[in-house]
Amino acid sequence: MTTALDPTTTQTATARLECVGLTGGRGTATAFRDVDLSLAPGRVLALLGPNGAGKTTMLLTLAGLLPPRAGAILVDGTKLRTGRPATANRAGIVLVPDNRSLFTTLSVEENLKVAARRGGPKPRDMLEIFPALADRWRLAAGALSGGEQQMLAMARALIQQPRVLLIDELSLGLAPLIVESLFQAVRRIAADHGCAVVLVEQYAKLAIAAADDVVVLSRGRIVLRGPASELGDQVDRLETLYFDTAAPTEA
């Protein structure tokens, strides 16, 4: 296991997503620096850390919504022209933001139709993963519960057939049982669809339980990384050091 302050990473020919020396920020502030990551298809990376550690800014940089200050992003070995959302999306990088970005006046079905790609899965195919949406099919997204909206946001991402799925704060504002089911869905999506998943999360226990690998950011730098199987028994220490330990609240 790689331990605190060890900057090494394993780069492999099978990596779906790689970051090499990635540095980024917003405005004049640098949010994270010198990040090296390598994530294979079908694996889930929990990207953890306190508020202000640079996690969300890193996701936005990976998604092409912010230009990096330095370094490279590669998908399946191909270096991206970074800072361009369309380029990242064409490469198969799809972001589920913390605000879910749904069309609130459109129905569940219509939201999925907007996101669907020619020749890809059909909107109804998403009900195999999120069957709870079947009874809400004609309902406007704005009328859904918080958990249902998060399911729809995940379904909208999945229908785009991502190679890399970026998820920001999956548990935000949701009840614990809903959060647990969503993390289970993330695990199935990675395994069944072969995408690499980067999961930014404050609620460490469920994130580590769903992940294969864990990276902890603090003040923009990686301070801890390792297999989730080895870090799982250190959750209490990690939460004490880095996280808000409050459980998700009822929506």
Side-chain angles (χ1 to χ4, degrees), residues 214-230:
V214 177
V215 164
V216 177
L217 279 183
S218 183
R219 297 183 180 180
R221 293 187 180 274
I222 295 177
V223 294
L224 183 71
R225 73 167 86 220
S229 58
E230 295 183 14

Side-chain angles (χ1 to χ4, degrees), residues 54-153:
K55 307 183 301 298
T56 293
T57 302
M58 187 185 302
L59 282 197
L60 295 176
T61 303
L62 291 173
L65 296 170
L66 292 173
R69 305 277 172 84
I73 301 168
L74 299 91
V75 175
D76 292 327
T78 299
K79 184 177 178 180
L80 302 186
R81 296 181 65 186
T82 49
R84 301 187 178 191
T87 299
N89 194 254
R90 282 196 297 270
I93 299 177
V94 179
L95 171 67
V96 180
D98 60 358
N99 64 5
R100 297 162 190 161
S101 290
L102 301 175
F103 295 102
T104 57
T105 61
L106 298 184
S107 69
V108 168
E109 179 184 23
E110 290 165 339
N111 266 275
L112 291 172
K113 283 182 175 179
V114 170
R117 294 180 175 179
R118 183 176 298 178
K122 306 299 183 185
R124 285 276 179 184
D125 295 338
M126 297 299 100
L127 297 180
E128 296 179 13
I129 301 172
F130 301 104
L133 294 177
D135 292 338
R136 302 290 188 264
W137 198 243
R138 306 292 184 189
L139 198 64
L144 302 179
S145 69
E148 291 164 347
Q149 287 185 353
Q150 192 65 283
M151 291 177 198
L152 178 55

